[in-house]
Amino acid sequence: MKVLKMDIRGQICPSSLLLVLREMNLHHQELVRGNLSIEVLTDNRDATGTIPDAVRNMGIEAFVEKMDGYYRITTKQQSD
Amino acid sequence: MMQPQNQEIIRKPEEPSELELLTEENARLKNINREAFDYIRSKVNCLLEVVGTKNLRPEELDDHSLIEFDPIGIVAQTFQHILENLQETNQKLHFAHDEIQTVFETVGAALLVLSPQGKVVSYNQKIRDLMLGGDVDFLGKRCKDNICHTGIDNERCIFECVMLARREQHLYDWELDGRSFDVIGRPMLDETGNITHVVIAYQDVSARRDAQSSLLQALNATQEANAKIHGILRSAADGIIVTDSSDNIVLINRRAEELIGYCLSRQDSTIQIDHIPHKELVQLLRQAPRREQETFTEDLTFQPAGHSPCICQVRVTVIKSAENKFNGCVMLLHDVTEQRTIDRMKNEFVSTAAHELRTPLATIIGYTDLMMMENDFSAEQKTEFIHQIQKKAVRLGDIVSNLLDISRIESGEGVSLELKPHRFDQLCKEVIKNFQLQTNDHNFVLESPRPSGVTVSFDRFAMMQIIENLLSNAVKYSPNGGEIRISCQLENGICLLAISDQGIGMTSEQVLRIYDKFYRADATNTAISGTGLGMTIVKHLVEAQSGQVSITSSLGKGTTVTITLLAADQMKSC
């Protein structure tokens, strides 16, 4: 599976969310098929709520991990 | 002249300059642009609010970047994806709903959904079939009034139990209208933890309960039967040993344990046949799988603790599966000691009887052949020949009589006796006289009270047979010249007849067996004739006249046989 890495540390919401949504729109088919995963690095706490919620609404699972001074949000296609 | 004062100068308004027009147009366009950007920002903010995030501030994204970045496009496309996902999810939900509805109607359990107020929200066909009946619709009605119409305590009301515990509850053997149910109640909670519904599943276990009851009865009956069979096997007169295909002892009964002298059934673990302390028996079991016959027998001797050795006919039956595979053995140990002893005695008797019959017959044949071949014998010689023939014929008659007597005794017919008072001493004299006529080799001494003698009630013929048998034994087993003493006494109303010889005597073991049929204490000396039936007949005839026989004997010194009979006057009072 391919992994698309996005480092948006320094960005605040809603631009963080919009950036991620734009990438998701661009790669929606691959994400849905489970061929691609997006890994987002962000230091904006609000983004750890808004991004996973938006991702899940599109039927894709998202996991948040707290790293050292930032967060890592990883998407994964839901298995039926 | 022109008067310029106070004269209103009406000037034709000047046309706006090109610059002014452009400036105005620019301001207007700016305004429109501003309004457009404000509109876009407000719409973007609306959309962002929907996705749950903050407003997009100008310092974060200026107007120029707003158009270039196109957040509305991004969010709109996102919404398109969200909508697609919702549609797909909706389809799945519809499918799941249909599935649940099918399961709800076809599941084996009766399902009931209640509101927190105990009103019926939904139920399946099973509920109608088992509990409601008819076509009345119970939706919205109270469960208690319509299902538990017989009245059930709160402790046995699954709805109350679930509402109280707020978690899954079970009730077993819940009774309704003679049926038995296992009931499961589970609450459905909303996000705040409040109960929205209670789902109750009733599993009709009446048939299972009845089947369990029947099965239990059958099991008890089987256990009883098994215990009976085990008891019968344990207490069977024959020894039984059952083994499996691995040569383990599956069953051994008490008799088998007695015979092999080892208690195998008390061992906790599986016992191999090698533990049987009887090598020949183990060998038989080892050979069983290789034998061609499914059943075979062999006589083996056993030595049970504290008992005499015994002979058992061991019958081994091989158990085979449908595929002809060896599955073990059943071994029966049948005690044939008596049978084998009788067989041996019969064989001995046949041999003895043949010998006994052949001897007089040879004499008879010899004399008759002689008389037929030669005719010039004197009258005295002929008389002597006929006398010898007659004597041997009488002997043959005696042997045949003995055989007939023992046959009658064995068959239970008994012997018909005519008990009358007789002088015992006189009868003894008669018998002694007969013996003295046959042989002068022995000295017969009769002791009896004189002159009254001894009067006893007996059957004359039988008593004569008794005394003849006893004297015959005394003569046969005494050396020539030996004294044979016949003592006839009366003591306290009892007649004692004792016949003593100075013969070869017997051991105590021989004395114990002296009344056995066909038993001869000294069978090695074939010169001494006898069938081994005399003492058996004596004992039977004496006891038939309410008397008793006793024997004392000392090897090499002689034997005394004593017969006790009630005196004639005593017999009357009996």
Side-chain angles (χ1 to χ4, degrees):
Chain A
M1 185 197 287
K2 287 189 288 183
V3 179
L4 176 64
K5 296 191 176 181
M6 293 177 68
D7 189 348
I8 52 169
R9 282 177 285 189
Q11 293 277 352
I12 59 166
C13 250
S15 57
S16 306
L17 173 65
L18 289 169
L19 283 168
V20 172
L21 289 180
R22 187 176 65 178
E23 289 305 315
M24 287 197 67
N25 289 336
L26 279 173
H27 304 286
H28 185 255
Q29 286 302 319
E30 281 181 287
L31 285 167
V32 168
R33 288 193 192 113
N35 297 330
L36 178 72
S37 170
I38 295 179
E39 187 181 288
V40 181
L41 306 183
T42 177
D43 50 7
N44 183 261
R45 201 166 183 280
D46 291 344
T48 61
T50 55
I51 292 172
D53 282 350
V55 169
R56 286 183 191 122
N57 282 333
M58 284 191 272
I60 296 165
E61 191 54 81
F63 303 95
V64 180
E65 295 168 272
K66 186 167 189 338
M67 312 302 281
D68 187 17
Y70 64 97
Y71 301 93
R72 182 163 67 190
I73 302 168
T74 313
T75 68
K76 187 190 172 192
Q77 171 62 343
Q78 288 175 347
S79 55
D80 288 329
Chain B
M1 248 173 88
M2 290 181 63
Q3 296 292 323
Q5 285 93 1
N6 300 324
Q7 193 174 13
E8 190 178 4
I9 299 168
I10 299 171
R11 295 180 67 180
K12 199 177 171 182
E14 282 182 28
E15 287 290 319
S17 66
E18 186 71 16
L19 182 62
E20 286 170 338
L21 283 172
L22 284 172
T23 304
E24 190 180 338
E25 182 63 20
N26 192 32
R28 195 174 61 84
L29 284 173
K30 273 187 177 177
N31 197 36
I32 290 170
N33 212 15
R34 177 76 266 144
E35 284 176 355
F37 278 118
D38 287 347
Y39 178 78
I40 290 169
R41 280 191 184 278
S42 72
K43 291 301 166 189
V44 167
N45 287 338
C46 278
L47 291 172
L48 290 175
E49 195 177 342
V50 172
V51 294
T53 190
K54 296 171 183 172
N55 289 348
L56 192 61
R57 290 172 299 216
E59 56 269 32
E60 198 177 345
L61 200 67
D62 59 27
D63 292 346
H64 179 71
S65 300
L66 187 68
I67 298 299
E68 193 182 338
F69 191 63
D70 188 18
I72 290 180
I74 293 170
V75 177
Q77 199 174 357
T78 301
F79 279 179
Q80 186 188 343
H81 294 146
I82 290 172
L83 200 60
E84 284 168 4
N85 182 50
L86 281 175
Q87 282 172 342
E88 196 180 323
T89 307
N90 253 348
Q91 279 180 348
K92 287 178 183 173
L93 280 174
H94 276 295
F95 184 70
H97 177 265
D98 290 347
E99 273 187 333
I100 289 169
Q101 192 62 35
T102 306
V103 172
F104 191 72
E105 285 301 336
T106 58
V107 72
L111 298 175
L112 181 67
V113 183
L114 299 177
S115 70
Q117 292 74 38
K119 291 184 178 175
V120 177
V121 174
S122 180
Y123 55 87
N124 67 356
Q125 187 60 34
K126 277 267 178 187
I127 285 282
R128 189 181 289 284
D129 295 344
L130 290 173
M131 299 175 177
L132 300 175
D135 294 327
V136 183
D137 193 357
F138 290 89
L139 290 176
K141 296 184 178 174
R142 276 172 57 85
C143 164
K144 271 191 175 180
D145 302 333
N146 292 282
I147 293 179
C148 304
H149 44 77
T150 50
I152 284 179
D153 295 340
N154 281 354
E155 286 179 5
R156 296 293 287 170
C157 174
I158 191 74
F159 172 73
E160 295 291 350
C161 292
V162 171
M163 291 302 288
L164 194 65
R166 302 179 60 77
R167 56 188 164 82
E168 185 175 298
Q169 296 291 296
H170 295 246
L171 287 177
Y172 298 102
D173 291 327
W174 186 78
E175 299 280 342
L176 185 71
D177 297 337
R179 284 180 174 275
S180 191
F181 297 90
D182 283 351
V183 188
I184 302 171
R186 176 179 274 192
M188 291 173 72
L189 306 175
D190 63 12
E191 291 170 350
T192 58
N194 291 321
I195 296 175
T196 59
H197 296 93
V198 174
V199 180
I200 304 170
Y202 299 86
Q203 186 73 42
D204 187 355
V205 293
S206 307
R208 192 180 71 194
R209 184 192 57 186
D210 294 345
Q212 277 177 340
S213 176
S214 302
L215 195 65
L216 200 63
Q217 283 178 0
L219 187 66
N220 287 338
T222 308
Q223 282 175 340
E224 276 180 30
N226 190 36
K228 277 182 190 170
I229 291 169
H230 200 69
I232 289 166
L233 289 177
R234 288 288 299 161
S235 59
D238 286 347
I240 301 169
I241 300 172
V242 182
T243 62
D244 63 14
S245 57
S246 307
D247 285 343
N248 294 314
I249 297 172
V250 178
L251 184 146
I252 181 164
N253 73 346
R254 196 176 299 130
R255 179 59 183 152
E257 288 179 343
E258 284 169 7
L259 286 168
I260 62 173
Y262 191 71
C263 187
L264 292 167
S265 60
R266 288 189 190 158
Q267 309 292 328
D268 293 333
S269 55
T270 310
I271 303 293
Q272 280 268 312
I273 56 172
D274 296 331
H275 287 81
I276 297 176
H278 196 294
K279 283 183 183 173
E280 291 152 311
L281 194 75
V282 173
Q283 202 176 355
L284 270 188
L285 285 169
R286 285 245 176 266
Q287 288 170 352
R290 296 190 295 276
R291 291 252 190 170
E292 285 183 5
Q293 317 96 304
E294 288 195 354
T295 301
F296 56 94
T297 57
E298 195 163 319
D299 279 6
L300 294 179
T301 304
F302 293 86
Q303 178 61 69
H307 293 85
S308 311
C310 63
I311 303 165
C312 282
Q313 185 186 56
V314 181
R315 175 182 286 270
V316 182
T317 304
V318 177
I319 308 165
K320 287 190 175 172
S321 66
E323 296 82 30
N324 207 32
K325 200 177 161 191
F326 175 71
N327 264 357
C329 292
V330 177
M331 181 178 262
L332 282 181
L333 311 174
H334 180 56
D335 189 346
V336 292
T337 310
E338 195 176 344
Q339 209 174 319
R340 295 291 178 264
T341 308
I342 290 169
D343 288 346
R344 183 177 51 78
M345 285 163 69
K346 278 184 178 169
N347 289 336
E348 285 174 10
F349 167 72
V350 169
S351 170
T352 308
H355 176 76
E356 288 296 305
L357 292 169
R358 193 176 56 192
T359 308
L361 269 177
T363 308
I364 292 168
I365 291 166
Y367 279 116
T368 50
D369 282 351
L370 199 61
M371 289 171 75
M372 285 166 72
M373 286 189 295
E374 301 284 342
N375 212 10
D376 54 347
F377 290 111
S378 65
E380 290 80 17
Q381 280 178 313
K382 286 181 181 173
T383 307
E384 175 57 22
F385 292 165
I386 291 168
H387 177 71
Q388 285 299 330
I389 291 168
Q390 194 265 344
K391 190 179 162 185
K392 296 302 174 187
V394 168
R395 174 64 191 148
L396 282 176
D398 288 346
I399 295 169
V400 172
S401 294
N402 274 350
L403 292 174
L404 290 173
D405 285 347
I406 204 72
S407 173
R408 273 198 295 273
I409 291 166
E410 284 293 295
S411 66
E413 283 180 31
V415 184
S416 60
L417 300 171
E418 193 179 353
L419 301 182
K420 282 183 182 173
H422 297 284
R423 281 282 295 273
F424 207 174
D425 50 325
Q426 282 180 357
L427 183 73
C428 288
K429 272 182 194 171
E430 282 179 42
V431 180
I432 290 167
K433 197 176 172 183
N434 288 340
F435 268 86
Q436 281 171 333
L437 286 172
Q438 292 170 32
T439 177
N440 290 321
D441 295 337
H442 296 86
N443 184 21
F444 293 94
V445 178
L446 176 64
E447 292 175 347
S448 69
R450 291 167 192 262
S452 58
V454 178
T455 304
V456 184
S457 281
F458 54 77
D459 181 274
R460 185 178 162 75
F461 182 78
M463 191 51 71
M464 189 175 274
Q465 201 177 348
I466 291 166
I467 298 168
E468 279 175 352
N469 270 327
L470 295 178
L471 286 181
S472 170
N473 282 344
V475 167
K476 279 193 284 189
Y477 296 104
S478 292
N480 287 344
E483 183 182 271
I484 297 171
R485 184 174 292 276
I486 302 106
S487 166
C488 191
Q489 304 293 332
L490 195 62
E491 286 179 12
N492 302 323
I494 292 177
C495 169
L496 295 170
L497 172 69
I499 298 174
S500 306
D501 62 51
Q502 295 173 329
I504 59 173
M506 293 179 287
T507 62
S508 54
E509 288 78 20
Q510 288 172 325
V511 170
L512 282 173
R513 297 194 57 197
I514 197 66
Y515 303 116
D516 291 352
K517 293 186 295 290
F518 312 117
Y519 177 75
R520 296 182 68 207
D522 185 12
T524 55
N525 190 351
T526 54
I528 300 173
S529 63
T531 55
L533 294 172
M535 287 308 292
T536 313
I537 294 169
V538 165
K539 186 170 191 291
H540 180 78
L541 291 177
V542 170
E543 287 176 354
Q545 296 174 82
S546 305
Q548 286 181 338
V549 189
S550 62
I551 296 173
T552 55
S553 186
S554 179
L555 199 61
K557 290 182 180 174
T559 302
T560 298
V561 181
T562 306
I563 292 171
T564 56
L565 288 168
L566 286 173
D569 54 345
Q570 297 293 319
M571 283 292 281
K572 283 175 191 169
S573 61
C574 286

PDB file of all heavy atoms in Angstrom, chain B residues 340-361:
ATOM      1  N   ARG B 340     -14.961 -84.056  35.835  1.00  0.00           N
ATOM      2  CA  ARG B 340     -13.754 -84.754  35.396  1.00  0.00           C
ATOM      3  C   ARG B 340     -13.449 -85.941  36.320  1.00  0.00           C
ATOM      4  O   ARG B 340     -12.982 -86.988  35.855  1.00  0.00           O
ATOM      5  CB  ARG B 340     -12.557 -83.787  35.378  1.00  0.00           C
ATOM      6  CG  ARG B 340     -12.697 -82.678  34.353  1.00  0.00           C
ATOM      7  CD  ARG B 340     -12.595 -83.226  32.910  1.00  0.00           C
ATOM      8  NE  ARG B 340     -12.772 -82.148  31.950  1.00  0.00           N
ATOM      9  CZ  ARG B 340     -13.931 -81.842  31.361  1.00  0.00           C
ATOM     10  NH1 ARG B 340     -15.032 -82.558  31.635  1.00  0.00           N
ATOM     11  NH2 ARG B 340     -14.014 -80.847  30.512  1.00  0.00           N
ATOM     12  N   THR B 341     -13.720 -85.772  37.617  1.00  0.00           N
ATOM     13  CA  THR B 341     -13.498 -86.872  38.568  1.00  0.00           C
ATOM     14  C   THR B 341     -14.422 -88.034  38.232  1.00  0.00           C
ATOM     15  O   THR B 341     -14.009 -89.192  38.209  1.00  0.00           O
ATOM     16  CB  THR B 341     -13.767 -86.375  40.009  1.00  0.00           C
ATOM     17  OG1 THR B 341     -13.001 -85.198  40.224  1.00  0.00           O
ATOM     18  CG2 THR B 341     -13.376 -87.421  41.036  1.00  0.00           C
ATOM     19  N   ILE B 342     -15.702 -87.678  37.951  1.00  0.00           N
ATOM     20  CA  ILE B 342     -16.669 -88.732  37.590  1.00  0.00           C
ATOM     21  C   ILE B 342     -16.240 -89.417  36.295  1.00  0.00           C
ATOM     22  O   ILE B 342     -16.278 -90.642  36.193  1.00  0.00           O
ATOM     23  CB  ILE B 342     -18.085 -88.121  37.452  1.00  0.00           C
ATOM     24  CG1 ILE B 342     -18.595 -87.725  38.845  1.00  0.00           C
ATOM     25  CG2 ILE B 342     -19.050 -89.094  36.792  1.00  0.00           C
ATOM     26  CD1 ILE B 342     -19.850 -86.884  38.838  1.00  0.00           C
ATOM     27  N   ASP B 343     -15.786 -88.546  35.333  1.00  0.00           N
ATOM     28  CA  ASP B 343     -15.324 -89.124  34.067  1.00  0.00           C
ATOM     29  C   ASP B 343     -14.192 -90.117  34.315  1.00  0.00           C
ATOM     30  O   ASP B 343     -14.168 -91.213  33.762  1.00  0.00           O
ATOM     31  CB  ASP B 343     -14.825 -88.020  33.125  1.00  0.00           C
ATOM     32  CG  ASP B 343     -15.977 -87.189  32.579  1.00  0.00           C
ATOM     33  OD1 ASP B 343     -17.132 -87.646  32.717  1.00  0.00           O
ATOM     34  OD2 ASP B 343     -15.710 -86.101  32.037  1.00  0.00           O
ATOM     35  N   ARG B 344     -13.258 -89.679  35.170  1.00  0.00           N
ATOM     36  CA  ARG B 344     -12.106 -90.542  35.458  1.00  0.00           C
ATOM     37  C   ARG B 344     -12.564 -91.824  36.141  1.00  0.00           C
ATOM     38  O   ARG B 344     -12.152 -92.935  35.785  1.00  0.00           O
ATOM     39  CB  ARG B 344     -11.115 -89.781  36.361  1.00  0.00           C
ATOM     40  CG  ARG B 344      -9.844 -90.548  36.676  1.00  0.00           C
ATOM     41  CD  ARG B 344      -8.896 -89.716  37.512  1.00  0.00           C
ATOM     42  NE  ARG B 344      -9.515 -89.121  38.688  1.00  0.00           N
ATOM     43  CZ  ARG B 344      -9.772 -89.793  39.810  1.00  0.00           C
ATOM     44  NH1 ARG B 344      -9.492 -91.072  39.894  1.00  0.00           N
ATOM     45  NH2 ARG B 344     -10.339 -89.182  40.845  1.00  0.00           N
ATOM     46  N   MET B 345     -13.516 -91.637  37.123  1.00  0.00           N
ATOM     47  CA  MET B 345     -14.014 -92.806  37.858  1.00  0.00           C
ATOM     48  C   MET B 345     -14.790 -93.739  36.932  1.00  0.00           C
ATOM     49  O   MET B 345     -14.705 -94.963  37.048  1.00  0.00           O
ATOM     50  CB  MET B 345     -14.897 -92.347  39.017  1.00  0.00           C
ATOM     51  CG  MET B 345     -14.084 -91.773  40.164  1.00  0.00           C
ATOM     52  SD  MET B 345     -15.078 -90.803  41.280  1.00  0.00           S
ATOM     53  CE  MET B 345     -16.064 -92.065  42.020  1.00  0.00           C
ATOM     54  N   LYS B 346     -15.515 -93.153  36.010  1.00  0.00           N
ATOM     55  CA  LYS B 346     -16.270 -93.986  35.068  1.00  0.00           C
ATOM     56  C   LYS B 346     -15.319 -94.794  34.188  1.00  0.00           C
ATOM     57  O   LYS B 346     -15.533 -95.973  33.923  1.00  0.00           O
ATOM     58  CB  LYS B 346     -17.191 -93.122  34.200  1.00  0.00           C
ATOM     59  CG  LYS B 346     -18.488 -92.778  34.898  1.00  0.00           C
ATOM     60  CD  LYS B 346     -19.397 -92.005  33.990  1.00  0.00           C
ATOM     61  CE  LYS B 346     -20.713 -91.720  34.708  1.00  0.00           C
ATOM     62  NZ  LYS B 346     -21.536 -90.767  34.000  1.00  0.00           N
ATOM     63  N   ASN B 347     -14.262 -94.072  33.754  1.00  0.00           N
ATOM     64  CA  ASN B 347     -13.275 -94.773  32.941  1.00  0.00           C
ATOM     65  C   ASN B 347     -12.668 -95.932  33.717  1.00  0.00           C
ATOM     66  O   ASN B 347     -12.498 -97.031  33.194  1.00  0.00           O
ATOM     67  CB  ASN B 347     -12.161 -93.809  32.498  1.00  0.00           C
ATOM     68  CG  ASN B 347     -12.676 -92.829  31.452  1.00  0.00           C
ATOM     69  OD1 ASN B 347     -13.656 -93.128  30.764  1.00  0.00           O
ATOM     70  ND2 ASN B 347     -12.042 -91.677  31.355  1.00  0.00           N
ATOM     71  N   GLU B 348     -12.364 -95.618  34.994  1.00  0.00           N
ATOM     72  CA  GLU B 348     -11.785 -96.664  35.843  1.00  0.00           C
ATOM     73  C   GLU B 348     -12.777 -97.819  36.018  1.00  0.00           C
ATOM     74  O   GLU B 348     -12.429 -98.992  35.984  1.00  0.00           O
ATOM     75  CB  GLU B 348     -11.422 -96.094  37.223  1.00  0.00           C
ATOM     76  CG  GLU B 348     -10.166 -95.233  37.194  1.00  0.00           C
ATOM     77  CD  GLU B 348      -9.909 -94.560  38.534  1.00  0.00           C
ATOM     78  OE1 GLU B 348     -10.591 -94.905  39.531  1.00  0.00           O
ATOM     79  OE2 GLU B 348      -9.044 -93.689  38.561  1.00  0.00           O
ATOM     80  N   PHE B 349     -14.078 -97.385  36.194  1.00  0.00           N
ATOM     81  CA  PHE B 349     -15.113 -98.415  36.400  1.00  0.00           C
ATOM     82  C   PHE B 349     -15.259 -99.318  35.166  1.00  0.00           C
ATOM     83  O   PHE B 349     -15.336-100.543  35.281  1.00  0.00           O
ATOM     84  CB  PHE B 349     -16.455 -97.762  36.717  1.00  0.00           C
ATOM     85  CG  PHE B 349     -17.600 -98.733  36.630  1.00  0.00           C
ATOM     86  CD1 PHE B 349     -17.767 -99.725  37.595  1.00  0.00           C
ATOM     87  CD2 PHE B 349     -18.477 -98.711  35.561  1.00  0.00           C
ATOM     88  CE1 PHE B 349     -18.797-100.627  37.508  1.00  0.00           C
ATOM     89  CE2 PHE B 349     -19.512 -99.616  35.470  1.00  0.00           C
ATOM     90  CZ  PHE B 349     -19.670-100.574  36.458  1.00  0.00           C
ATOM     91  N   VAL B 350     -15.287 -98.662  33.994  1.00  0.00           N
ATOM     92  CA  VAL B 350     -15.441 -99.452  32.764  1.00  0.00           C
ATOM     93  C   VAL B 350     -14.312-100.474  32.668  1.00  0.00           C
ATOM     94  O   VAL B 350     -14.523-101.648  32.382  1.00  0.00           O
ATOM     95  CB  VAL B 350     -15.458 -98.532  31.526  1.00  0.00           C
ATOM     96  CG1 VAL B 350     -15.343 -99.331  30.236  1.00  0.00           C
ATOM     97  CG2 VAL B 350     -16.738 -97.714  31.525  1.00  0.00           C
ATOM     98  N   SER B 351     -13.107 -99.947  33.001  1.00  0.00           N
ATOM     99  CA  SER B 351     -11.954-100.841  32.963  1.00  0.00           C
ATOM    100  C   SER B 351     -12.107-101.963  33.999  1.00  0.00           C
ATOM    101  O   SER B 351     -11.901-103.145  33.692  1.00  0.00           O
ATOM    102  CB  SER B 351     -10.711 -99.990  33.243  1.00  0.00           C
ATOM    103  OG  SER B 351      -9.615-100.803  33.439  1.00  0.00           O
ATOM    104  N   THR B 352     -12.526-101.558  35.220  1.00  0.00           N
ATOM    105  CA  THR B 352     -12.669-102.546  36.307  1.00  0.00           C
ATOM    106  C   THR B 352     -13.806-103.530  36.008  1.00  0.00           C
ATOM    107  O   THR B 352     -13.653-104.746  36.164  1.00  0.00           O
ATOM    108  CB  THR B 352     -12.974-101.817  37.634  1.00  0.00           C
ATOM    109  OG1 THR B 352     -11.994-100.814  37.820  1.00  0.00           O
ATOM    110  CG2 THR B 352     -12.982-102.769  38.818  1.00  0.00           C
ATOM    111  N   ALA B 353     -14.946-102.966  35.581  1.00  0.00           N
ATOM    112  CA  ALA B 353     -16.113-103.813  35.319  1.00  0.00           C
ATOM    113  C   ALA B 353     -15.810-104.804  34.202  1.00  0.00           C
ATOM    114  O   ALA B 353     -16.180-105.987  34.281  1.00  0.00           O
ATOM    115  CB  ALA B 353     -17.310-102.945  34.938  1.00  0.00           C
ATOM    116  N   ALA B 354     -15.102-104.297  33.180  1.00  0.00           N
ATOM    117  CA  ALA B 354     -14.744-105.190  32.076  1.00  0.00           C
ATOM    118  C   ALA B 354     -13.879-106.338  32.596  1.00  0.00           C
ATOM    119  O   ALA B 354     -14.092-107.508  32.243  1.00  0.00           O
ATOM    120  CB  ALA B 354     -13.992-104.402  31.006  1.00  0.00           C
ATOM    121  N   HIS B 355     -12.935-105.931  33.463  1.00  0.00           N
ATOM    122  CA  HIS B 355     -12.056-106.952  34.055  1.00  0.00           C
ATOM    123  C   HIS B 355     -12.868-107.931  34.908  1.00  0.00           C
ATOM    124  O   HIS B 355     -12.713-109.143  34.809  1.00  0.00           O
ATOM    125  CB  HIS B 355     -10.986-106.244  34.899  1.00  0.00           C
ATOM    126  CG  HIS B 355     -10.101-107.199  35.631  1.00  0.00           C
ATOM    127  ND1 HIS B 355      -9.098-107.915  35.002  1.00  0.00           N
ATOM    128  CD2 HIS B 355     -10.076-107.581  36.935  1.00  0.00           C
ATOM    129  CE1 HIS B 355      -8.487-108.679  35.887  1.00  0.00           C
ATOM    130  NE2 HIS B 355      -9.062-108.492  37.087  1.00  0.00           N
ATOM    131  N   GLU B 356     -13.788-107.364  35.737  1.00  0.00           N
ATOM    132  CA  GLU B 356     -14.585-108.182  36.649  1.00  0.00           C
ATOM    133  C   GLU B 356     -15.513-109.129  35.886  1.00  0.00           C
ATOM    134  O   GLU B 356     -15.721-110.271  36.292  1.00  0.00           O
ATOM    135  CB  GLU B 356     -15.439-107.278  37.552  1.00  0.00           C
ATOM    136  CG  GLU B 356     -14.667-106.536  38.610  1.00  0.00           C
ATOM    137  CD  GLU B 356     -14.026-107.480  39.605  1.00  0.00           C
ATOM    138  OE1 GLU B 356     -14.748-108.310  40.194  1.00  0.00           O
ATOM    139  OE2 GLU B 356     -12.790-107.397  39.780  1.00  0.00           O
ATOM    140  N   LEU B 357     -16.084-108.596  34.805  1.00  0.00           N
ATOM    141  CA  LEU B 357     -17.006-109.426  34.015  1.00  0.00           C
ATOM    142  C   LEU B 357     -16.239-110.462  33.183  1.00  0.00           C
ATOM    143  O   LEU B 357     -16.711-111.586  32.976  1.00  0.00           O
ATOM    144  CB  LEU B 357     -17.855-108.537  33.084  1.00  0.00           C
ATOM    145  CG  LEU B 357     -18.867-107.608  33.781  1.00  0.00           C
ATOM    146  CD1 LEU B 357     -19.433-106.608  32.794  1.00  0.00           C
ATOM    147  CD2 LEU B 357     -19.996-108.419  34.404  1.00  0.00           C
ATOM    148  N   ARG B 358     -15.055-110.077  32.739  1.00  0.00           N
ATOM    149  CA  ARG B 358     -14.298-110.954  31.854  1.00  0.00           C
ATOM    150  C   ARG B 358     -13.784-112.197  32.591  1.00  0.00           C
ATOM    151  O   ARG B 358     -13.791-113.292  32.040  1.00  0.00           O
ATOM    152  CB  ARG B 358     -13.115-110.172  31.266  1.00  0.00           C
ATOM    153  CG  ARG B 358     -12.439-110.871  30.108  1.00  0.00           C
ATOM    154  CD  ARG B 358     -11.354-110.011  29.533  1.00  0.00           C
ATOM    155  NE  ARG B 358     -10.398-109.630  30.569  1.00  0.00           N
ATOM    156  CZ  ARG B 358      -9.460-108.693  30.417  1.00  0.00           C
ATOM    157  NH1 ARG B 358      -9.398-108.030  29.284  1.00  0.00           N
ATOM    158  NH2 ARG B 358      -8.633-108.398  31.400  1.00  0.00           N
ATOM    159  N   THR B 359     -13.386-112.004  33.862  1.00  0.00           N
ATOM    160  CA  THR B 359     -12.801-113.115  34.612  1.00  0.00           C
ATOM    161  C   THR B 359     -13.784-114.288  34.768  1.00  0.00           C
ATOM    162  O   THR B 359     -13.478-115.418  34.360  1.00  0.00           O
ATOM    163  CB  THR B 359     -12.288-112.614  35.978  1.00  0.00           C
ATOM    164  OG1 THR B 359     -11.448-111.489  35.743  1.00  0.00           O
ATOM    165  CG2 THR B 359     -11.511-113.687  36.726  1.00  0.00           C
ATOM    166  N   PRO B 360     -15.010-114.045  35.348  1.00  0.00           N
ATOM    167  CA  PRO B 360     -15.935-115.184  35.453  1.00  0.00           C
ATOM    168  C   PRO B 360     -16.396-115.695  34.084  1.00  0.00           C
ATOM    169  O   PRO B 360     -16.590-116.889  33.889  1.00  0.00           O
ATOM    170  CB  PRO B 360     -17.118-114.633  36.253  1.00  0.00           C
ATOM    171  CG  PRO B 360     -16.966-113.172  36.269  1.00  0.00           C
ATOM    172  CD  PRO B 360     -15.550-112.855  35.979  1.00  0.00           C
ATOM    173  N   LEU B 361     -16.527-114.701  33.146  1.00  0.00           N
ATOM    174  CA  LEU B 361     -16.959-115.135  31.811  1.00  0.00           C
ATOM    175  C   LEU B 361     -15.931-116.075  31.172  1.00  0.00           C
ATOM    176  O   LEU B 361     -16.286-117.077  30.540  1.00  0.00           O
ATOM    177  CB  LEU B 361     -17.151-113.920  30.913  1.00  0.00           C
ATOM    178  CG  LEU B 361     -18.552-113.299  30.897  1.00  0.00           C
ATOM    179  CD1 LEU B 361     -18.570-112.060  30.026  1.00  0.00           C
ATOM    180  CD2 LEU B 361     -19.591-114.298  30.389  1.00  0.00           C
TER     181      LEU B 361
END
